[in-house]
Amino acid sequence: MAGCNWERIGIVDIFKDAFRFARENLGILAIIALLGHVLTLAQSTYEFIFGQELSNFTLFLLAVAELFINVWVRTALITSVASLRFGNQFSLAEMKKAVSSKYWGVFVTILKWAFFILIIALPIYFVALLLSLAIPNDLLIILQLSILGLLFYLSMRFQFIIHSAVLEESAFGAFLNSSRLMKGRFWKVAGATLAFNIIFAIIPGIYFFLDKTQGLSNLPAWGTYLLSIAYSLYGVAYMVFEVSFSTLLYLRLKALDENSARVLSGVSIDKQDSANGGHHE
C-alpha cells in the first residue's frame, strides 16, 4: 500500500465526484446541515430584534448545545452520503434510526480525540512556556513550528476517526482504522484535504480582507444580521461539500484497502497451492 499514487487513489476524480454528488443531493444534505446552524441563527435573530447581546452563561449553554447538535449533524451527513453513494433507498426515518444507534459511539470518539490532543498539547505548551524564558527567539520559533507540525500530522493521521465510528468501527477501532488508511498515503491525502479547504477558505478570506479594509464590523444592525445569515448559509454549504468530499475519500481508501487484502489473500493461496503441487487441500 505504500506504493499508492495519485492515479490509483484518484484524488482528482474524488474532487469531481464530491462536487457533483453534493450538487445532486444538495436539498436533503443542506436541510440536515442547517440544523447545525439553528442556534447561531437564533442568536443572531435575538440580538437583531431586541438589540442586546446574550449573557456569557447563555452563550456557554448554547455552545454546549451546539456541540451535541453538531455531532448529530455530522453523523447524519456521513450516514446519508454513504447511503446515497451506495444507491441505497434513502429515507429520513432510516437515517435517524442509523444515527441514533451510532450517536454516542461517535460522541465518545470525539471526546477521546480531544483528550488525546490535550494530553499531548498541554505538556508541550508548558515546556515551551518554560523554554521561552531561556532560549533565543529563533529557536523558540522553530519549536513553535515543530509543535504546529506535530498537531497537523495528528489531525491528518486521524482525520477519518468520525467516518470510521459512524460507518463501522468502535471508538477505539476508529483510531486504528484511520491510521491504517493513511499509511503510505499521508501526503497525498493531506495535500488533497488542504487543497479542498483552501478552496473554501477563499470567501472567508475575502470577508476578512474587506472587514480589515472597509470596516464591515461597523455595518448597521440589519446589515450585520444579513451578514450573519449569509455566513451561516455559507457554513451549511461548506459542511455539505466537506462531508461529501471526506466521506467519498474515506470510502475510496477503504475500497483500496479491501482490494489490497483480497490480492494478498489470493497471492497467499497461490503460494500454498504451489507448495501443495498445484492442488487445494
Side-chain angles (χ1 to χ4, degrees):
M1 287 184 287
C4 293
N5 52 41
W6 285 92
E7 291 73 27
R8 185 183 176 193
I9 296 178
I11 295 293
V12 175
D13 290 337
I14 294 173
F15 264 102
K16 294 178 181 177
D17 287 347
F19 281 94
R20 176 185 55 77
F21 180 90
R23 288 198 310 270
E24 292 175 353
N25 301 281
L26 184 60
I28 183 63
L29 296 179
I31 290 173
I32 297 172
L34 187 60
L35 295 175
H37 293 265
V38 166
L39 294 181
T40 301
L41 290 171
Q43 176 187 345
S44 300
T45 302
Y46 174 88
E47 292 176 351
F48 173 66
I49 293 175
F50 295 100
Q52 59 183 9
E53 296 183 351
L54 298 174
S55 66
N56 290 334
F57 180 70
T58 303
L59 291 175
F60 170 76
L61 293 180
L62 287 177
V64 173
E66 281 188 342
L67 171 62
F68 284 91
I69 292 173
N70 281 319
V71 172
W72 190 95
V73 168
R74 183 160 287 270
T75 304
L77 283 173
I78 293 173
T79 301
S80 302
V81 170
S83 179
L84 291 167
R85 179 62 171 178
F86 289 130
N88 298 333
Q89 186 174 0
F90 181 81
S91 70
L92 290 176
E94 288 295 324
M95 182 271 291
K96 288 191 290 184
K97 181 179 179 181
V99 173
S100 298
S101 66
K102 289 288 187 177
Y103 180 86
W104 290 111
V106 174
F107 194 85
V108 169
T109 300
I110 293 174
L111 288 181
K112 286 186 175 182
W113 167 243
F115 184 68
F116 175 64
I117 290 297
L118 282 176
I119 288 177
I120 294 176
L122 285 180
I124 293 177
Y125 171 76
F126 286 117
V127 169
L129 194 62
L130 292 174
L131 290 177
S132 66
L133 304 175
I135 63 176
N137 287 336
D138 292 344
L139 291 178
L140 182 61
I141 292 174
I142 294 175
L143 177 62
Q144 291 172 339
L145 291 176
S146 300
I147 294 172
L148 290 176
L150 175 62
L151 294 177
F152 169 77
Y153 172 81
L154 293 174
S155 65
M156 290 295 105
R157 191 79 183 179
F158 299 112
Q159 66 174 301
F160 295 119
I161 57 172
I162 297 179
H163 300 78
S164 298
V166 171
L167 298 177
E168 52 200 308
E169 303 288 349
S170 63
F172 180 72
F175 285 84
L176 297 177
N177 188 47
S178 179
S179 181
R180 184 177 67 251
L181 291 178
M182 293 294 289
K183 186 177 181 180
R185 308 176 176 120
F186 180 86
W187 291 112
K188 302 179 185 69
V189 176
T193 303
L194 284 175
F196 180 89
N197 284 284
I198 287 172
I199 292 172
F200 274 89
I202 293 175
I203 292 180
I206 293 173
Y207 167 79
F208 179 79
F209 174 77
L210 292 176
D211 185 34
K212 291 298 182 183
T213 57
Q214 305 298 324
L216 294 180
S217 57
N218 297 322
L219 290 173
W222 63 267
T224 302
Y225 179 56
L226 292 178
L227 192 61
S228 67
I229 292 176
Y231 212 74
S232 292
L233 293 178
Y234 181 78
V236 168
Y238 170 76
M239 180 172 283
V240 168
F241 283 97
E242 187 275 326
V243 173
S244 296
F245 171 75
S246 61
T247 303
L248 293 183
L249 179 56
Y250 171 83
L251 294 175
R252 174 60 176 162
L253 295 177
K254 193 71 177 177
L256 286 175
D257 256 22
E258 291 172 354
N259 289 336
S260 297
R262 282 195 291 268
V263 170
L264 291 175
S265 178
V267 170
S268 177
I269 292 173
D270 288 342
K271 288 182 177 179
Q272 185 177 359
D273 288 346
S274 297
N276 294 332
H279 298 286
H280 289 286
E281 290 185 356

